[in-house]
Amino acid sequence: MSKIGFVGLGIMGKPMSKNLLKAGHELVVFDVVAERVDELTAAGAGKGASAADAAAKSEIIITMLPDGPDVEKAVLGPAGVLEGAAGGSILVDMSSINPLVAQKVGAACEAKAVEFLDAPVSGGEPKAIDGTLAIMVGGKQETFDKVAPILQAMGSSVTLAGEVGAGNVTKLANQIIVACNIAAMGEALVLATKAGLNPETVFQAIKGGLAGSTVLNAKAPMLIGRNFKPGFRINLHHKDLRNALQAAESLRVPLPITSLVQQMVVSLINEGKGDLDHSGIAQFAEQGAKVEVRKKA
Ligand code: NAD
């Protein structure tokens, strides 16, 4: 069993850290929101006074933060992980961030003899709770081998995709597919609804065919049931699409469909919908057609 520091106890970090406790690991946790720390200490974790303190008390440090600038602040900034981490310890950043920022953080860790992996996840809150996340990892094989059993307490699939940054490139690929799927689902079910069909019947009819997908199974019932409670916020998906477009720009890869969906997302955020679940991306198509996709009585 390992001594693990966990920084970032939000929608994802809270259940992930609880699964590490359940697996028998010793945890020291930190979040800028004190109540989130209190909930974990009530569940048996130790309290960190800062990210540096949590790191100083641990062999392995996990960060689960919103975006690259948050990771840079919590790792490289004052009272950050690298102020406390001892040489030979391992930092695993599980946030979804720009791969270039992951490489910057990885280089800063290397300069302090701290091993680094970027290991973003897919699956959302339900799979974080079940401990069945898909975890995509970038870094050295030897570091991966040391940490894989710990990651397996949070995920059912743990894959080393390449060097540092590769975890986040894989995650961006995942996020492109998910966002474009939700947008396409929105257009399809808006068309069906406007044509007078019951979208629930259409969903049931197509889900076993080629259009069926994990995205469709998870998000169509939310759209049809008018349940946009996150889950995964539109604001976070905006961040992922922005990171995908930035990475694509630096590699000179055109991403026309992703760009279009990103523009829809910006428009929804401007309408105050950034905190809806990303199934709400479908609302863009609803607005154009002046129709709501909902189950017919
Ligand atoms: P969240 O906003 O719910 O949680 C982030 C937590 O980090 C918050 O508790 C916040 O207080 C804390 N925090 C921010 N800055 C900090 C700092 N400097 N020091 C300590 N704590 C700090 O976000 P989330 O939904 O848990 O997502 C976390 C990451 O996981 C994001 O990169 C997101 O894209 C990714 N992700 C989320 C989901 C999902 O469904 N929510 C799914 C897959 C991946």
Side-chain angles (χ1 to χ4, degrees), residues 104-120:
K104 178 180 171 187
V105 171
C109 287
E110 200 173 348
K112 290 214 158 189
V114 171
E115 296 175 60
F116 178 75
L117 297 173
D118 64 318

Side-chain angles (χ1 to χ4, degrees), residues 7 10 20 52 56 58 67 71-72 80 93 102 107 122 148 191 211 215 239 249 290:
V7 179
L20 292 173
S58 310
D67 197 1
V71 174
E72 288 193 60
D93 177 40
S122 176
L191 174 68
V215 174
K239 174 260 309 183
E249 171 70 24
K290 301 275 176 285

